[in-house]
Amino acid sequence: MISKIIIGLGNPGQSYENTRHNVGNMCVDQISESHSIDIVENHRFYFYGQGQIAGKSVVLVRPKTFVNNTGNAITSIITKFRVSPDDILVVYDDMDLQLGFIRIRARGSAGGHNGVKSIIRALGTEEFARLRIGIGRPPEYIEEIGHVLGRFGSEEIPEINRALEVSVMAIESIIGFGIDHSMNEFNNSGQGL
């Protein structure tokens, strides 16, 4: 029985690799590496891999859809694995969080994130867990779309790498100890440690 499906949001294709909008994918890739779960199974809307974390069965997912259409992939995942929205954890970028900080939520609105809006529309509920990774807001002279689709600057890379490490620990905690415990541990202290 699947304990949790972890979905990292991001745009497909090499031109979007390592952009701010793809930190969800980057996080799932890091979990994949940490726990030797190969994301090689190919479905029409996503790539996925199954394995164990904290002794529980998990599925790691990288959607093939663009972020704004993630709902298409999510409904397909829910159907394929016969799970409910309660069983998914969505990982994505958040401009309203300071660069490198993370936040876990058990449910809630999209907060302006078009990928999450697409998921809420597709599922018909806001009742699914999410882990937000802060990418910060752009300077006034840079448009938001250019910011989210841009790559991290050299001075930002250490902070985002640290955030990804903490995000992996947070996900391990969610799977092992539950979301309430993990929110208490990771949400109240900035980057989580």
Side-chain angles (χ1 to χ4, degrees), residues 69-86:
N69 296 318
T70 305
N72 295 337
I74 299 284
T75 51
S76 178
I77 290 160
I78 294 272
T79 302
K80 176 177 174 57
F81 292 101
R82 297 178 184 169
V83 295
S84 73
D86 289 347

Side-chain angles (χ1 to χ4, degrees), residues 6 10 19-20 29 43 51 54 64 67 94 97 105 134 159 186:
I6 301 139
T19 59
R20 292 180 184 89
D29 287 345
H43 184 276
K64 292 180 185 177
V67 170
D94 191 335
L97 269 182
R105 292 182 72 189
E159 288 186 73
F186 288 88

Side-chain angles (χ1 to χ4, degrees), residues 114-172:
N114 289 329
V116 180
K117 284 181 188 172
S118 172
I119 295 168
I120 291 169
R121 258 193 322 272
L123 296 179
T125 182
E126 297 179 345
E127 299 288 317
F128 57 88
R130 65 282 309 267
L131 187 153
R132 299 164 13 218
I133 301 173
I135 61 168
R137 289 212 160 263
E140 287 181 11
Y141 57 87
I142 295 177
E143 289 186 29
E144 288 183 358
I145 190 74
H147 179 65
V148 298
L149 295 180
R151 289 185 164 78
F152 292 101
S154 57
E155 72 287 354
E156 297 174 306
I157 289 171
E159 288 186 73
I160 204 62
N161 285 342
R162 176 65 178 150
L164 291 170
E165 286 175 22
V166 174
S167 295
V168 169
M169 289 187 275
I171 290 167
E172 291 166 345

Side-chain angles (χ1 to χ4, degrees), residues 36-100:
S36 302
I37 302 171
D38 294 328
I39 306 174
V40 293
E41 298 296 328
N42 193 352
H43 184 276
R44 179 180 168 200
F45 291 119
Y46 51 87
F47 293 102
Y48 71 96
Q50 291 184 257
Q52 298 275 317
I53 296 176
K56 296 181 179 174
S57 179
V58 300
V59 179
L60 303 181
V61 176
R62 278 186 65 134
K64 292 180 185 177
T65 54
F66 281 88
V67 170
N68 293 358
N69 296 318
T70 305
N72 295 337
I74 299 284
T75 51
S76 178
I77 290 160
I78 294 272
T79 302
K80 176 177 174 57
F81 292 101
R82 297 178 184 169
V83 295
S84 73
D86 289 347
D87 300 315
I88 68 172
L89 171 66
V90 180
V91 185
Y92 60 96
D93 60 291
D94 191 335
M95 278 197 304
D96 291 326
L97 269 182
Q98 186 178 327
L99 175 70

Side-chain angles (χ1 to χ4, degrees), residues 15-33:
S15 60
Y16 294 104
E17 289 290 322
N18 299 317
T19 59
R20 292 180 184 89
H21 219 24
N22 277 37
V23 292
N25 272 345
M26 293 161 68
C27 180
V28 164
D29 287 345
Q30 198 148 329
I31 299 166
S32 163
E33 192 174 315

